mmCIF file of all heavy atoms in Angstrom:
data_model
loop_
_atom_site.group_PDB
_atom_site.id
_atom_site.type_symbol
_atom_site.label_atom_id
_atom_site.label_comp_id
_atom_site.label_asym_id
_atom_site.label_seq_id
_atom_site.Cartn_x
_atom_site.Cartn_y
_atom_site.Cartn_z
ATOM 1 N N PHE A 1 106.939 175.679 87.792
ATOM 2 C CA PHE A 1 105.907 174.925 88.323
ATOM 3 C C PHE A 1 104.589 175.254 87.749
ATOM 4 O O PHE A 1 103.488 174.883 88.146
ATOM 5 C CB PHE A 1 105.748 175.381 89.858
ATOM 6 C CG PHE A 1 106.645 174.636 90.755
ATOM 7 C CD1 PHE A 1 106.850 175.005 91.969
ATOM 8 C CD2 PHE A 1 107.334 173.557 90.367
ATOM 9 C CE1 PHE A 1 107.736 174.366 92.943
ATOM 10 C CE2 PHE A 1 108.081 172.835 91.125
ATOM 11 C CZ PHE A 1 108.444 173.237 92.469
ATOM 12 N N ASN A 2 104.573 175.903 86.510
ATOM 13 C CA ASN A 2 103.260 176.236 85.855
ATOM 14 C C ASN A 2 102.593 175.065 85.442
ATOM 15 O O ASN A 2 101.401 174.828 85.557
ATOM 16 C CB ASN A 2 103.551 177.188 84.700
ATOM 17 C CG ASN A 2 104.572 176.692 83.717
ATOM 18 O OD1 ASN A 2 105.551 176.000 84.191
ATOM 19 N ND2 ASN A 2 104.454 176.891 82.477
ATOM 20 N N GLU A 3 103.345 173.991 84.843
ATOM 21 C CA GLU A 3 102.692 172.819 84.409
ATOM 22 C C GLU A 3 102.231 171.880 85.647
ATOM 23 O O GLU A 3 101.117 171.255 85.502
ATOM 24 C CB GLU A 3 103.605 171.968 83.612
ATOM 25 C CG GLU A 3 103.936 172.616 82.300
ATOM 26 C CD GLU A 3 104.891 171.744 81.435
ATOM 27 O OE1 GLU A 3 105.278 170.651 82.017
ATOM 28 O OE2 GLU A 3 105.165 172.064 80.228
ATOM 29 N N VAL A 4 102.963 171.919 86.672
ATOM 30 C CA VAL A 4 102.487 171.321 87.890
ATOM 31 C C VAL A 4 101.162 171.819 88.397
ATOM 32 O O VAL A 4 100.333 170.978 88.719
ATOM 33 C CB VAL A 4 103.580 171.368 88.980
ATOM 34 C CG1 VAL A 4 103.040 170.798 90.327
ATOM 35 C CG2 VAL A 4 104.949 170.681 88.446
ATOM 36 N N VAL A 5 101.065 173.214 88.490
ATOM 37 C CA VAL A 5 99.764 173.763 89.131
ATOM 38 C C VAL A 5 98.716 173.434 88.015
ATOM 39 O O VAL A 5 97.489 173.179 88.365
ATOM 40 C CB VAL A 5 99.870 175.115 89.207
ATOM 41 C CG1 VAL A 5 98.633 175.867 89.490
ATOM 42 C CG2 VAL A 5 101.003 175.457 90.227
ATOM 43 N N GLU A 6 98.937 173.335 86.728
ATOM 44 C CA GLU A 6 97.867 173.028 85.738
ATOM 45 C C GLU A 6 97.486 171.673 85.817
ATOM 46 O O GLU A 6 96.246 171.289 85.770
ATOM 47 C CB GLU A 6 98.409 173.266 84.374
ATOM 48 C CG GLU A 6 97.396 173.163 83.234
ATOM 49 C CD GLU A 6 97.980 173.428 81.761
ATOM 50 O OE1 GLU A 6 99.050 173.875 81.743
ATOM 51 O OE2 GLU A 6 97.154 173.204 80.924
ATOM 52 N N ALA A 7 98.506 170.618 86.219
ATOM 53 C CA ALA A 7 98.129 169.296 86.437
ATOM 54 C C ALA A 7 97.280 169.075 87.577
ATOM 55 O O ALA A 7 96.381 168.292 87.617
ATOM 56 C CB ALA A 7 99.400 168.489 86.608
ATOM 57 N N PHE A 8 97.523 169.887 88.630
ATOM 58 C CA PHE A 8 96.779 169.753 89.945
ATOM 59 C C PHE A 8 95.267 170.152 89.673
ATOM 60 O O PHE A 8 94.313 169.495 90.015
ATOM 61 C CB PHE A 8 97.292 170.739 90.954
ATOM 62 C CG PHE A 8 98.593 170.215 91.613
ATOM 63 C CD1 PHE A 8 99.385 171.156 92.239
ATOM 64 C CD2 PHE A 8 98.948 168.882 91.590
ATOM 65 C CE1 PHE A 8 100.582 170.684 92.867
ATOM 66 C CE2 PHE A 8 100.133 168.520 92.097
ATOM 67 C CZ PHE A 8 100.917 169.275 92.747
ATOM 68 N N THR A 9 95.154 171.112 88.718
ATOM 69 C CA THR A 9 93.733 171.594 88.447
ATOM 70 C C THR A 9 93.045 170.554 87.491
ATOM 71 O O THR A 9 91.815 170.467 87.537
ATOM 72 C CB THR A 9 93.746 172.974 87.760
ATOM 73 O OG1 THR A 9 94.705 172.851 86.588
ATOM 74 C CG2 THR A 9 94.352 174.056 88.737
ATOM 75 N N GLN A 10 93.824 169.893 86.610
ATOM 76 C CA GLN A 10 93.160 168.820 85.653
ATOM 77 C C GLN A 10 93.042 167.599 86.296
ATOM 78 O O GLN A 10 92.303 166.723 85.696
ATOM 79 C CB GLN A 10 94.140 168.813 84.419
ATOM 80 C CG GLN A 10 94.156 170.015 83.639
ATOM 81 C CD GLN A 10 95.172 169.892 82.493
ATOM 82 O OE1 GLN A 10 95.807 168.823 82.366
ATOM 83 N NE2 GLN A 10 95.322 170.953 81.701
ATOM 84 N N GLN A 11 93.596 167.253 87.479
ATOM 85 C CA GLN A 11 93.429 165.879 88.092
ATOM 86 C C GLN A 11 92.021 165.605 88.409
ATOM 87 O O GLN A 11 91.435 166.428 89.013
ATOM 88 C CB GLN A 11 94.403 165.662 89.176
ATOM 89 C CG GLN A 11 94.408 164.307 89.959
ATOM 90 C CD GLN A 11 95.386 164.323 91.115
ATOM 91 O OE1 GLN A 11 95.770 165.341 91.626
ATOM 92 N NE2 GLN A 11 95.577 163.084 91.486
ATOM 93 N N LYS A 12 91.622 164.358 88.010
ATOM 94 C CA LYS A 12 90.347 163.853 88.335
ATOM 95 C C LYS A 12 90.363 162.989 89.520
ATOM 96 O O LYS A 12 91.334 162.329 89.810
ATOM 97 C CB LYS A 12 89.695 163.093 87.156
ATOM 98 C CG LYS A 12 89.597 163.998 85.809
ATOM 99 C CD LYS A 12 89.065 163.179 84.715
ATOM 100 C CE LYS A 12 88.996 164.134 83.396
ATOM 101 N NZ LYS A 12 88.448 163.311 82.286
ATOM 102 N N PRO A 13 89.199 162.814 90.139
ATOM 103 C CA PRO A 13 89.230 161.898 91.326
ATOM 104 C C PRO A 13 89.619 160.550 90.880
ATOM 105 O O PRO A 13 89.118 159.945 89.939
ATOM 106 C CB PRO A 13 87.719 161.991 91.815
ATOM 107 C CG PRO A 13 87.268 163.294 91.373
ATOM 108 C CD PRO A 13 88.022 163.537 89.968
ATOM 109 N N GLY A 14 90.579 159.849 91.503
ATOM 110 C CA GLY A 14 91.044 158.535 91.287
ATOM 111 C C GLY A 14 92.042 158.436 90.223
ATOM 112 O O GLY A 14 92.578 157.403 90.105
ATOM 113 N N GLU A 15 92.341 159.460 89.598
ATOM 114 C CA GLU A 15 93.272 159.426 88.543
ATOM 115 C C GLU A 15 94.764 159.628 89.100
ATOM 116 O O GLU A 15 94.958 160.634 89.856
ATOM 117 C CB GLU A 15 93.088 160.479 87.549
ATOM 118 C CG GLU A 15 93.917 160.426 86.292
ATOM 119 C CD GLU A 15 93.675 161.511 85.279
ATOM 120 O OE1 GLU A 15 92.826 162.428 85.571
ATOM 121 O OE2 GLU A 15 94.388 161.600 84.354
ATOM 122 N N PRO A 16 95.754 158.729 88.891
ATOM 123 C CA PRO A 16 97.145 158.946 89.330
ATOM 124 C C PRO A 16 97.719 160.240 88.723
ATOM 125 O O PRO A 16 97.470 160.552 87.511
ATOM 126 C CB PRO A 16 97.798 157.730 88.890
ATOM 127 C CG PRO A 16 96.838 156.759 88.596
ATOM 128 C CD PRO A 16 95.400 157.367 88.201
ATOM 129 N N LEU A 17 98.391 160.969 89.560
ATOM 130 C CA LEU A 17 98.963 162.180 89.137
ATOM 131 C C LEU A 17 100.151 162.009 88.092
ATOM 132 O O LEU A 17 100.407 162.785 87.173
ATOM 133 C CB LEU A 17 99.623 162.994 90.324
ATOM 134 C CG LEU A 17 99.954 164.372 90.143
ATOM 135 C CD1 LEU A 17 98.932 165.284 89.659
ATOM 136 C CD2 LEU A 17 100.570 165.030 91.292
ATOM 137 N N SER A 18 100.823 160.784 88.082
ATOM 138 C CA SER A 18 101.920 160.566 87.283
ATOM 139 C C SER A 18 101.377 160.268 85.778
ATOM 140 O O SER A 18 102.177 160.276 84.779
ATOM 141 C CB SER A 18 102.694 159.300 87.690
ATOM 142 O OG SER A 18 101.752 158.101 87.794
ATOM 143 N N TYR A 19 100.065 160.084 85.669
ATOM 144 C CA TYR A 19 99.513 159.905 84.242
ATOM 145 C C TYR A 19 99.258 161.167 83.520
ATOM 146 O O TYR A 19 99.023 161.175 82.277
ATOM 147 C CB TYR A 19 98.319 159.077 84.266
ATOM 148 C CG TYR A 19 98.534 157.548 84.761
ATOM 149 C CD1 TYR A 19 97.473 156.644 85.011
ATOM 150 C CD2 TYR A 19 99.751 157.084 85.001
ATOM 151 C CE1 TYR A 19 97.616 155.387 85.307
ATOM 152 C CE2 TYR A 19 99.975 155.754 85.349
ATOM 153 C CZ TYR A 19 98.947 154.862 85.603
ATOM 154 O OH TYR A 19 99.080 153.586 85.955
ATOM 155 N N ILE A 20 99.311 162.296 84.230
ATOM 156 C CA ILE A 20 98.946 163.546 83.651
ATOM 157 C C ILE A 20 100.250 164.027 83.032
ATOM 158 O O ILE A 20 101.317 163.921 83.530
ATOM 159 C CB ILE A 20 98.345 164.534 84.727
ATOM 160 C CG1 ILE A 20 97.209 163.965 85.362
ATOM 161 C CG2 ILE A 20 98.173 165.926 84.047
ATOM 162 C CD1 ILE A 20 96.604 164.801 86.460
ATOM 163 N N TYR A 21 100.080 164.709 81.785
ATOM 164 C CA TYR A 21 101.255 165.161 81.026
ATOM 165 C C TYR A 21 102.246 166.023 81.782
ATOM 166 O O TYR A 21 103.535 165.855 81.822
ATOM 167 C CB TYR A 21 100.813 165.834 79.785
ATOM 168 C CG TYR A 21 101.948 166.287 78.973
ATOM 169 C CD1 TYR A 21 102.772 165.576 78.279
ATOM 170 C CD2 TYR A 21 102.297 167.804 79.053
ATOM 171 C CE1 TYR A 21 103.939 166.034 77.503
ATOM 172 C CE2 TYR A 21 103.336 168.321 78.337
ATOM 173 C CZ TYR A 21 104.065 167.390 77.595
ATOM 174 O OH TYR A 21 105.192 167.918 76.757
ATOM 175 N N GLY A 22 101.741 167.055 82.530
ATOM 176 C CA GLY A 22 102.532 167.978 83.212
ATOM 177 C C GLY A 22 103.281 167.408 84.469
ATOM 178 O O GLY A 22 104.356 167.999 84.907
ATOM 179 N N THR A 23 102.848 166.337 84.902
ATOM 180 C CA THR A 23 103.474 165.692 86.163
ATOM 181 C C THR A 23 103.951 164.352 85.953
ATOM 182 O O THR A 23 104.028 163.471 86.864
ATOM 183 C CB THR A 23 102.461 165.729 87.247
ATOM 184 O OG1 THR A 23 101.300 164.982 86.773
ATOM 185 C CG2 THR A 23 102.144 167.134 87.761
ATOM 186 N N THR A 24 104.383 164.066 84.680
ATOM 187 C CA THR A 24 105.005 162.779 84.464
ATOM 188 C C THR A 24 106.449 162.769 85.023
ATOM 189 O O THR A 24 106.952 163.944 85.421
ATOM 190 C CB THR A 24 105.127 162.463 82.946
ATOM 191 O OG1 THR A 24 105.785 163.486 82.397
ATOM 192 C CG2 THR A 24 103.674 162.335 82.412
ATOM 193 N N ILE A 25 107.112 161.678 85.159
ATOM 194 C CA ILE A 25 108.325 161.523 85.730
ATOM 195 C C ILE A 25 109.383 162.421 84.913
ATOM 196 O O ILE A 25 110.137 163.217 85.618
ATOM 197 C CB ILE A 25 109.014 160.149 85.711
ATOM 198 C CG1 ILE A 25 107.952 159.250 86.575
ATOM 199 C CG2 ILE A 25 110.325 160.060 86.263
ATOM 200 C CD1 ILE A 25 108.056 159.664 88.092
ATOM 201 N N TYR A 26 109.224 162.406 83.640
ATOM 202 C CA TYR A 26 110.183 163.235 82.877
ATOM 203 C C TYR A 26 109.897 164.769 83.116
ATOM 204 O O TYR A 26 110.884 165.548 83.291
ATOM 205 C CB TYR A 26 110.116 162.799 81.373
ATOM 206 C CG TYR A 26 110.973 163.734 80.585
ATOM 207 C CD1 TYR A 26 112.263 163.584 80.569
ATOM 208 C CD2 TYR A 26 110.317 164.749 79.717
ATOM 209 C CE1 TYR A 26 112.983 164.328 79.535
ATOM 210 C CE2 TYR A 26 110.967 165.567 78.893
ATOM 211 C CZ TYR A 26 112.360 165.253 78.824
ATOM 212 O OH TYR A 26 113.088 166.199 77.998
ATOM 213 N N ARG A 27 108.610 165.135 83.081
ATOM 214 C CA ARG A 27 108.306 166.556 83.311
ATOM 215 C C ARG A 27 108.529 166.873 84.647
ATOM 216 O O ARG A 27 109.104 168.176 84.926
ATOM 217 C CB ARG A 27 106.737 166.760 82.832
ATOM 218 C CG ARG A 27 106.384 166.347 81.466
ATOM 219 C CD ARG A 27 107.191 167.170 80.455
ATOM 220 N NE ARG A 27 106.903 168.582 80.549
ATOM 221 C CZ ARG A 27 107.590 169.425 79.856
ATOM 222 N NH1 ARG A 27 108.540 169.039 78.946
ATOM 223 N NH2 ARG A 27 107.348 170.693 79.907
#
């Protein structure tokens, strides 16, 4: 879950979480 936590911290307001590298469908 290290990439997931990093994606939570990098998410910007209004940005879909699936667009961030660590939380894509594949990841």
Side-chain angles (χ1 to χ4, degrees):
F1 281 165
N2 54 325
E3 293 182 353
V4 174
V5 172
E6 186 177 356
F8 286 160
T9 58
Q10 293 177 359
Q11 184 182 13
K12 298 178 181 179
E15 182 182 7
L17 189 62
S18 60
Y19 291 176
I20 302 175
Y21 173 77
T23 54
T24 60
I25 296 296
Y26 176 75
R27 300 303 297 175

